[in-house]
Amino acid sequence: QNPNDITCGQSKFQNMIRQSRSQPQQNNTKMYYHWKTWAKTRSLDGRLPLVTAAARSMQWSYMQQIYTDNMPVIYELDALTGLPLFMLAATGPNSDIESIYNLLKECPHAISIMNIRHPHSSTDSINRKRGGG
């Protein structure tokens, strides 16, 4: 099985990962280590699998599998959009609220990252339009 299946939302792969973690066998252990390597491998567009999963608005049940094997990626910004992962997961009409919540819960300072990057908030522009400052 290809680890990329999870970024396509194929649940049979998720079940295999659960099985490999609950019933370690030699073959499953080998797959588990390949999985850990895959979770830290960037694709051609520069994204790690968790970032790709967030961009595709995947359900948390899938994203959690990737996150568990590469937790530090939660602190990265998307190379293509510059957004933190919780915001990337929130884009699009099919975003998963559980994914957004859990990504933000795991990295709450991601909100302040956006304030640092964009010091002029939308309220500043409203005040200028009204002639206030």
Side-chain angles (χ1 to χ4, degrees), residues 6-25:
I6 199 166
T7 57
C8 297
Q10 294 182 6
S11 61
K12 67 180 179 178
F13 190 74
Q14 182 184 16
N15 292 335
M16 287 177 57
I17 294 300
R18 282 189 191 139
Q19 180 184 8
S20 71
R21 290 184 177 156
S22 64
Q23 302 170 357
Q25 298 170 358

Side-chain angles (χ1 to χ4, degrees), residues 79-100:
L80 299 178
T81 64
L83 295 174
L85 293 188
F86 86 94
M87 286 185 144
L88 187 61
T91 60
N94 298 321
S95 58
D96 180 57
I97 191 72
E98 186 180 8
S99 293
I100 299 163

Side-chain angles (χ1 to χ4, degrees), residues 120-132:
H120 300 292
S121 67
S122 60
T123 56
D124 290 340
S125 62
I126 291 170
N127 286 336
R128 276 188 241 130
K129 288 178 184 175
R130 292 183 184 161

Side-chain angles (χ1 to χ4, degrees), residues 74-119:
I74 196 81
Y75 301 107
E76 290 193 18
L77 298 176
D78 177 33
L80 299 178
T81 64
L83 295 174
L85 293 188
F86 86 94
M87 286 185 144
L88 187 61
T91 60
N94 298 321
S95 58
D96 180 57
I97 191 72
E98 186 180 8
S99 293
I100 299 163
Y101 169 78
N102 282 296
L103 290 169
L104 186 55
K105 183 178 93 171
E106 296 296 333
C107 186
H109 81 278
I111 291 176
S112 62
I113 290 172
M114 293 312 293
N115 288 337
I116 292 168
R117 288 189 61 224
H118 303 287

Side-chain angles (χ1 to χ4, degrees), residues 3-10 56 58 62:
N4 290 321
D5 290 345
I6 199 166
T7 57
C8 297
Q10 294 182 6
R56 293 183 180 172
M58 293 187 66
Y62 296 112

